[in-house]
Amino acid sequence: MHFPRFAATIAASCMLALPAWAQQLIASAASPGNVLSVEVQVDGMGKLAYGVKRKGKDIIAPSRLGFNLANAMKLDGGFSLRWQAVSEHDSTWEQPWGERQFVRNHYRELRVDLEQKNRAGRQITVVFRIYDDGVGFRYEFPAQKQLPTTEITDELTEFTVAQPATAWWIPASELPGLEEEIRKAPLKEIGIANTPLTLRLDDGTHIAFHEAALVDYATMWLRKVDGQKLRAMLAPSPSGPAVVRKGAFTTPWRTMQIADDAAGLYMSDLVLNLNEPNKLGDVSWVKPSKFVGVWWQMHLNSGTWNAGPKHAATTANTKKYIDFAAQNGMRGVLVEGWNKGWESDWGHGGADFSFTQPYPDFDLPGLAAYAKSKGVRLIGHHETGANIVAYEKQMDAAYRLYAKLGVDSIKSGYVHEAGTALFTGRDGKPRYGHYDSQEGVRHFVKAVTEAAKYKLSIDTHEPVKDTGLRRTYPNWLTREGARGVEYNAWGNPPNSVDHEAKLVFTRMLSGPMDYTPGVLSLVGADGKTFNSTQAKQLANYVVIYSPIQMAADLPENYEKYPAAFKFIRDVPTDWADTRVLNGAVGNYVTIARKDRASQDWYVGAVTDAQGRSLPLPLDFLDKGKRYTAEIYRDGDQADYRTARRFDLVTETKTVTAADTLQLRLAPGGGQAIRLTPQK
Ligand code: NOJ
């Protein structure tokens, strides 16, 4: 619902001439529940700044807005207000799939139209959307003859955090990109960070900085410029200015989720709300589901992607996985290494990959048909080695082939060293660069929109970061974009014991992750062990959200652990509701989710190296109903550091909404629970 706009104009001519240092408030607005407020000001030089208060207290101290341009004078200074307007919006929309079915979008919008009188009247608008749980703002560039093309070298947007804070961050632009271990440090000691960047302020308030709707623009990194101040840093382009746009355009939203605690950050739908609604129409062909894959054996070095004596993607081996999937109610079978090109040094080139020609020992049409006959679908695989130029040449033929065979989803991969992706530059020539650049960002959106034409869904590995575009393109099912379970196979080092408790409040604020959970054997290549108990592997299905979830272990390992495997068979991947019940970044988290297809609830809890006992009030259950709780918990001696990591106890209890369970988590452990209403 849109309320009529009410507006106030302050004619620029009425504004008093200010000394350079003085600040004049030119616009302000508060969130619907008056939790957050935004103030916009100019100084005597006409430089713009905004600030954010929470419950009257500064959260973001006055912080700069503006741009440096390559083709014109900077958009910084000389600004005066043309117009401002505040409106309120409150609606609820339905997700085709997600952490919750219905999402409320309730905000006040503050539009601030600005003019640079000393630059021939150039105009920009800054639009703030102020929610009770966060703020997003973006710049709108109108079509104007003074600036027919905008060439942005720097975005001067700053975020001055008003208190000392602890940051959980990963460095941007470095190897291995989004797959760095998440670091913890005082804010004042961080460098150039990727987003989401999560902070806990000294008074306990939590903030996550990120961006929403990253389309045809360079990715925003955040550079610590001094003390508590972060500045937007646009990923560089190999073709010149970071961003080049013709005519009217808007930037992505710069977002701040702000909450009393870590749990509140994850409960916020700000990033999704700031994205455009679904542009694909009917997306009933997008299928949340579980899958197995010819995959873990390559990471264990017991199979190869390329042809040869250990080739894993053979017809016979794939049939084994199809049969296993069919027997266990899994919809998908991923097959990696099915196509020609793996024998090359593909991580440093990717030019030799064919996306249409299978190896001779892989019967693609026969297997696609066999899978279908069993109610299963093959999941395609396109490893590109980040040779986007070569991939885009084959993309249409490759998508068409899959669609013809009834393969309706693809895992794509962009393995490379950060900064060395090969894509088409602005001059139409192949350029090596960072795929966080405007050109790189364009490719990822193109891959998804082209796939939609063939009703194909995409799971991107080594992706550009998620900015909530799944709302607009619901076939962008999931992605990697952080250290997944594969690091436990390689073991150099494996994922740290607090990894999941960090992920939920950092990377997962951006969207779903193909974490590839469920390795019950807890062992990587050459006997390397995981920093996890078996119960935690189960809890990860609830804690780390993805609409498609892999049962990543080998079928023979699942056969060894039937009691634990039952949870993996049962757990759904699409939810009617989600509640974060407790959590501290990097320490522990408990999440309850309600199945979209039944009345069941599922709970997952994970902890770091410290064992814990967490109370779990069941007041999210329907009152007056009795539920059967199937509990998968760490055994009393379980410990991720010893062979007792396998100690898993399964037990059943009858509970109601009035009960409180006590969750005992072993060091490095977890707990998973299914709650089913009794008849
Ligand atoms: C890295 C991906 O994360 C992994 O899942 C895949 O098996 C390899 N690349 C090969 O494409």
Side-chain angles (χ1 to χ4, degrees):
M1 171 176 36
H2 252 299
F3 287 88
R5 278 160 57 122
F6 58 91
T9 20
I10 303 173
S13 56
C14 294
M15 290 171 61
L16 299 173
L18 293 175
W21 47 266
Q23 301 290 342
Q24 183 180 19
L25 181 69
I26 55 167
S28 66
S31 64
N34 282 316
V35 180
L36 294 173
S37 60
V38 168
E39 294 184 345
V40 183
Q41 55 191 37
V42 287
D43 69 9
M45 305 287 286
K47 286 183 184 261
L48 290 170
Y50 76 99
V52 180
K53 288 188 166 57
R54 185 163 194 264
K55 299 174 187 165
K57 188 171 167 185
D58 273 343
I59 289 283
I60 303 297
S63 299
R64 187 173 178 190
L65 297 164
F67 296 88
N68 282 337
L69 305 179
N71 61 332
M73 294 295 283
K74 60 188 176 179
L75 282 159
D76 180 39
F79 282 109
S80 58
L81 181 72
R82 291 179 55 239
W83 174 264
Q84 60 150 326
V86 180
S87 58
E88 183 160 336
H89 176 102
D90 189 3
S91 64
T92 296
W93 56 279
E94 185 174 3
Q95 298 204 76
W97 49 267
E99 298 94 321
R100 56 182 59 85
Q101 188 165 359
F102 297 101
V103 178
R104 187 170 178 195
N105 189 13
H106 190 195
Y107 61 84
R108 290 227 180 98
E109 182 175 281
L110 171 63
R111 296 183 63 84
V112 189
D113 294 339
L114 298 144
E115 181 173 351
Q116 273 183 315
K117 280 243 171 337
N118 60 348
R119 301 268 176 260
R122 290 189 313 187
Q123 297 176 2
I124 57 168
T125 297
V126 190
V127 181
F128 293 86
R129 292 210 178 146
I130 312 162
Y131 294 75
D132 285 336
D133 62 6
V135 174
F137 66 89
R138 71 178 180 190
Y139 302 88
E140 293 182 1
F141 286 71
Q144 51 192 332
K145 62 177 183 324
Q146 307 92 319
L147 201 57
T149 299
T150 307
E151 297 186 3
I152 300 172
T153 48
D154 289 307
E155 187 175 317
L156 303 174
T157 308
E158 290 182 348
F159 306 87
T160 307
V161 181
Q163 293 171 39
T166 302
W168 284 267
W169 73 292
I170 57 171
S173 119
E174 302 292 335
L175 288 170
L178 297 175
E179 296 182 12
E180 290 268 353
E181 272 278 6
I182 301 160
R183 305 171 185 190
K184 179 182 177 186
L187 171 61
K188 59 182 183 338
E189 289 174 17
I190 75 169
I192 302 171
N194 259 306
T195 69
L197 167 64
T198 298
L199 305 184
R200 186 185 60 220
L201 309 192
D202 277 5
D203 73 357
T205 308
H206 284 62
I207 308 186
F209 296 102
H210 191 44
E211 60 184 311
L214 172 58
V215 178
D216 203 5
Y217 200 84
T219 300
M220 179 183 75
W221 301 329
L222 289 177
R223 185 160 61 90
K224 223 284 310 314
V225 281
D226 79 83
Q228 301 286 114
K229 193 185 289 179
L230 298 158
R231 183 180 300 158
M233 183 178 172
L234 299 180
S237 160
S239 315
V243 176
V244 176
R245 295 288 294 264
K246 281 199 173 38
F249 71 99
T250 58
T251 68
W253 295 92
R254 280 65 189 92
T255 64
M256 291 162 266
Q257 283 151 279
I258 307 176
D260 282 328
D261 51 22
L265 287 185
Y266 190 86
M267 290 298 285
S268 160
D269 293 312
L270 179 87
V271 171
L272 278 179
N273 273 329
L274 289 171
N275 274 272
E276 297 290 320
N278 175 5
K279 286 189 178 166
L280 302 183
D282 171 26
V283 285
S284 53
W285 44 272
V286 177
K287 303 284 188 200
S289 50
K290 283 174 290 192
F291 65 103
V292 293
V294 179
W295 181 76
W296 186 240
Q297 63 191 102
M298 281 88 98
H299 291 274
L300 294 178
N301 295 330
S302 56
T304 58
W305 281 273
N306 49 288
K310 281 167 56 180
H311 187 214
T314 62
T315 301
N317 194 31
T318 306
K319 274 195 168 157
K320 189 180 98 179
Y321 277 82
I322 292 170
D323 293 342
F324 181 79
Q327 281 153 20
N328 292 290
M330 316 252 171
R331 184 175 189 272
V333 175
L334 166 72
V335 193
E336 295 195 3
W338 66 276
N339 57 323
K340 291 184 179 165
W342 287 90
E343 42 288 306
S344 65
D345 185 11
W346 56 271
H348 298 95
D352 299 329
F353 278 126
S354 164
F355 300 105
T356 50
Q357 291 174 279
Y359 281 123
D361 56 355
F362 184 80
D363 174 10
L364 175 60
L367 286 164
Y370 180 71
K372 263 180 142 176
S373 76
K374 297 258 171 178
V376 169
R377 298 294 181 117
L378 290 184
I379 297 177
H381 186 237
H382 289 168
E383 173 56 62
T384 68
N387 190 328
I388 290 168
V389 172
Y391 184 43
E392 287 190 349
K393 280 189 190 139
Q394 297 187 54
M395 200 154 78
D396 188 65
Y399 286 174
R400 195 159 357 107
L401 172 66
Y402 275 148
K404 188 178 98 194
L405 296 172
V407 174
D408 58 9
S409 63
I410 300 172
K411 170 176 167 179
S412 56
Y414 296 83
V415 170
H416 72 298
E417 292 174 15
T420 66
L422 184 64
F423 43 73
T424 307
R426 290 194 192 113
D427 54 3
K429 295 195 177 126
R431 298 276 169 206
Y432 286 100
H434 212 296
Y435 70 30
D436 275 353
S437 62
Q438 184 184 16
E439 295 97 312
V441 163
R442 275 187 190 144
H443 165 72
F444 287 97
V445 175
K446 175 175 176 172
V448 168
T449 50
E450 291 299 308
K453 293 179 185 163
Y454 292 100
K455 299 196 168 154
L456 289 163
S457 299
I458 302 289
D459 164 10
T460 319
H461 277 235
E462 300 82 33
V464 70
K465 71 183 178 188
D466 196 342
T467 57
L469 285 168
R470 62 176 155 140
R471 179 175 179 195
T472 314
Y473 306 112
N475 67 325
W476 204 343
L477 270 175
T478 192
R479 69 186 88 195
E480 192 184 40
R483 291 167 71 97
V485 169
E486 63 194 16
Y487 279 80
N488 298 334
W490 312 333
N492 49 354
N495 292 327
S496 58
V497 65
D498 56 5
H499 188 50
E500 292 89 355
K502 282 179 181 160
L503 277 179
V504 170
F505 300 114
T506 53
R507 156 70 180 82
M508 299 310 294
L509 301 177
S510 70
M513 175 176 181
D514 184 15
Y515 189 50
T516 61
V519 177
L520 300 179
S521 50
L522 298 178
V523 60
D526 308 320
K528 293 172 186 120
T529 53
F530 284 37
N531 290 318
S532 171
T533 65
Q534 208 174 63
K536 191 193 235 184
Q537 290 297 308
L538 301 182
N540 287 339
Y541 283 92
V542 184
V543 166
I544 307 293
Y545 169 67
S546 177
I548 55 164
Q549 288 279 27
M550 189 171 198
D553 211 340
L554 306 177
E556 49 268 41
N557 290 337
Y558 288 129
E559 275 151 19
K560 281 188 206 150
Y561 301 107
F565 186 50
K566 179 174 184 305
F567 184 82
I568 299 178
R569 292 171 46 136
D570 291 346
V571 69
T573 64
D574 191 20
W575 307 102
D577 199 4
T578 285
R579 314 265 175 94
V580 182
L581 302 175
N582 57 44
V585 188
N587 297 132
Y588 63 94
V589 59
T590 306
I591 299 183
R593 302 192 197 263
K594 188 177 187 202
D595 183 14
R596 177 99 62 123
S598 75
Q599 295 303 310
D600 292 1
W601 281 84
Y602 287 76
V603 174
V606 295
T607 181
D608 57 7
Q610 196 180 315
R612 290 172 206 275
S613 185
L614 300 171
L616 175 70
L618 297 174
D619 51 7
F620 53 86
L621 297 177
D622 286 352
K623 312 272 171 293
K625 280 191 192 160
R626 290 154 71 85
Y627 288 78
T628 303
E630 288 170 61
I631 297 171
Y632 300 75
R633 66 169 173 86
D634 290 317
D636 293 342
Q637 304 302 316
D639 190 318
Y640 79 102
R641 291 163 296 197
T642 72
R644 309 299 295 261
R645 62 178 73 84
F646 291 97
D647 286 11
L648 177 84
V649 175
T650 54
E651 58 194 14
T652 303
K653 286 184 180 162
T654 293
V655 297
T656 71
D659 291 323
T660 294
L661 293 175
Q662 202 64 34
L663 305 187
R664 218 202 118 272
L665 311 179
Q671 190 163 143
I673 307 174
R674 176 186 185 179
L675 295 143
T676 309
Q678 293 178 356
K679 294 260 154 47

